[in-house]
Each structure stands twice: as C-alpha cells, then as structure tokens.
C-alpha cells in the first residue's frame, strides 16, 4: 500500500482498531483465481507470534477449501469519508478546489488456516458473538439449533505475518484547513471521522493549543475545578 510518511498510522491508532472487533474483507488467491468474502473478525494477540484474526465462513464457501497462493490479505477500513474542498479556508485564496478522501485502513497479511474442527469453530463463533452481541449468548439458544448452525460453518484463523497501516487524516493540510475538515465532517454527521481528524490530523503543538482553547472556552469564571496547570498537565485530545 502506498503510504507517504505523513500518513503513517500512529501505533496507538492501529492498536485501537485491532482491539475493536468489526468487519472486513478476506482476500485470497488460489487455483480458481481471486476470492473475497466480507467477514466479521476479532483480533487475538496471543494466537501466533504477531497475533491472529479469528473468523468463520459458511461451509459451502469455496474460499476455505482452496489452497492459498502466498499470503492471504484482510482489509479493515475503520473510517472513510469524502472531504469537500469547500471545507478548506485556504481554497478561495489559492483557487485550488481539490476534494479528497480521508480514511484509516489496515492491510493485514498472513497465513490462512482453516479449522474444520467443531471445538475450534465453536470457540470462534462464541467469541465473535460475544464481541458483537450484548444481550444474547449461544447458551440461550436451543442446543439442537446451535449444533446445526455450527456444522454449517468452518473456523478460520489468519495468522498475521505483517500489517500495512495508513491513516490519511488531513495531516498534509494547514491547521486552519484541518479545523475546516473537522467542522465539515461534523456537519455531515461523520462524527467518528471528525474525531480521528481532530486527534491525529493536527500537529502536536496545534492539537495541544486547540485542547487548551476548548477547555478554556468551557471554563466558567469563578470555577476553580480546572486550572491552567491542570489543563497543561493533561493534554490528551477529546
């Protein structure tokens, strides 16, 4: 993946994305060519030297049966939103009305291991369901129904060999343009992307200044609950 240095993903953001179970695309190449499946996943840091993704697919899906040529690839896009050039305060003066797209994505490569084993598949299904379902567990369902469903799927493990991570969050724009992007994304309802741009798009000094200004704006006169010393001592972005 082409990644200019200023779009290199901070390690803490990569860790945050991996720690939050979601959905992505498993891509493999085998005897029948390229295959892709959209799958839920969870990351297990203790499963393999660099960790593994825990997955499962429907038994009729040919992807688990085919031998994989080289590495398998799993794509996770944690955030992706259109950026209008009208959000840049610099655009009218420069005449450069060039829109773009901001996003945070992981390209995870590894060895794909199929676990056509009831115990492993049960473990994968239970963990995935627990990660995504807050009110219902497999133990709440009829045992014969669960057994039938488990026979219809196959567990997969993507044992990670390398990760390419990119966070294109307006880091190449001026601080004023970044603030314009944050406001534009917020107005468009893209709060998750706006929060990422606010956290990682501004240079550290600008990020710190924005935080202090924000806290100061919310600080009521006569309220001693926050002092300047406390603000400076806790520069974590919102």
């Amino acid at each position: 993946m082409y990644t200019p240095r200023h779009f290199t993903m901070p390690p803490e953001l990569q860790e945050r994305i991996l720690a939050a179970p979601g959905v992505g695309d498993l891509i493999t190449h085998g005897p029948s060519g390229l295959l892709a499946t959209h799958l839920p996943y969870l990351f297990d840091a203790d499963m393999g030297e660099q960790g593994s993704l825990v997955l499962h697919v429907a038994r009729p899906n040919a992807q688990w049966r085919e031998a994989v040529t080289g590495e398998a690839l799993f794509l996770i896009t944690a955030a992706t939103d259109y950026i209008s050039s009208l959000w840049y305060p610099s655009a009218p003066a420069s005449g450069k009305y060039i829109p773009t797209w901001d996003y945070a994505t992981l390209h995870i490569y590894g060895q794909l291991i199929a676990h056509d084993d009831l115990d492993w598949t049960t473990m994968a299904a239970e963990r995935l369901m627990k990660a995504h379902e807050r009110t219902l567990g497999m133990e709440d369902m009829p045992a014969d129904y669960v057994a039938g469903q488990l026979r219809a799927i196959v567990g997969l493990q993507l044992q990670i060999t390398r990760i390419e991570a990119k966070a294109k969050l307006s880091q190449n724009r001026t601080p004023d343009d970044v603030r314009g992007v944050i406001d534009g994304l917020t107005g468009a309802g893209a709060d998750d992307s706006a929060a990422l741009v606010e956290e990682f798009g501004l240079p550290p000094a600008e990020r710190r200044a924005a935080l202090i200004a924000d806290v100061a704006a919310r600080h009521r006169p006569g309220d001693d609950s926050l002092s300047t010393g406390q603000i400076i001592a806790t520069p974590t972005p919102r």
Side-chain angles (χ1 to χ4, degrees):
M1 175 168 55
Y2 170 62
T3 306
R5 185 171 61 181
H6 47 273
F7 292 148
T8 299
M9 183 178 291
E12 62 268 28
L13 180 54
Q14 177 176 312
E15 293 172 5
R16 188 189 308 174
I17 293 171
L18 284 174
V23 66
D25 295 292
L26 174 66
I27 302 170
T28 58
H29 184 270
S32 62
L34 285 169
L35 294 172
T37 306
H38 200 54
L39 294 173
Y41 69 88
L42 63 83
F43 173 66
D44 188 326
D46 298 321
M47 193 179 288
E49 185 176 341
Q50 299 186 57
S52 295
L53 297 184
V54 176
L55 319 156
H56 63 66
V57 293
R59 183 169 293 277
N61 188 328
Q63 194 168 20
W64 76 270
R65 297 180 183 274
E66 288 204 358
V68 177
T69 303
E71 296 172 303
L73 170 63
F74 197 84
L75 304 181
I76 299 172
T77 302
T80 176
D81 280 285
Y82 176 77
I83 306 301
S84 171
S85 59
L86 297 176
W87 296 344
Y88 299 143
S90 66
S94 67
K96 297 177 180 179
Y97 290 93
I98 302 173
T100 188
W101 209 276
D102 275 4
Y103 54 88
T105 185
L106 299 182
H107 290 192
I108 302 175
Y109 296 83
Q111 177 189 5
L112 187 64
I113 304 169
H115 292 277
D116 190 11
D117 170 82
L118 183 59
D119 289 340
W120 204 98
T121 299
T122 301
M123 176 276 296
E126 286 180 335
R127 291 184 63 186
L128 281 162
M129 187 171 182
K130 184 177 181 180
H132 295 282
E133 176 63 57
R134 302 300 182 190
T135 59
L136 186 69
M138 288 174 58
E139 68 278 3
D140 300 313
M141 304 177 189
D144 56 346
Y145 171 78
V146 172
Q149 294 297 304
L150 289 172
R151 288 193 296 271
I153 61 175
V154 175
L156 291 179
Q157 173 189 357
L158 183 65
Q159 189 165 306
I160 298 171
T161 52
R162 59 192 175 101
I163 298 177
E164 296 180 356
K166 184 175 182 178
K168 183 177 178 294
L169 300 170
S170 297
Q171 301 98 314
N172 59 328
R173 305 298 307 191
T174 66
D176 284 346
D177 281 355
V178 174
R179 294 189 189 95
V181 168
I182 294 167
D183 291 342
L185 287 169
T186 301
D191 293 339
D192 289 347
S193 289
L196 286 176
V197 173
E198 184 172 9
E199 186 172 358
F200 297 104
L202 290 169
E206 292 286 341
R207 199 180 312 154
R208 183 186 183 93
L211 173 72
I212 293 173
D214 179 70
V215 174
R218 291 184 285 112
H219 177 52
R220 299 188 303 273
D223 182 356
D224 296 326
S225 60
L226 287 175
S227 68
T228 303
Q230 288 174 305
I231 294 171
I232 294 175
T234 56
T236 304
R238 291 185 293 121

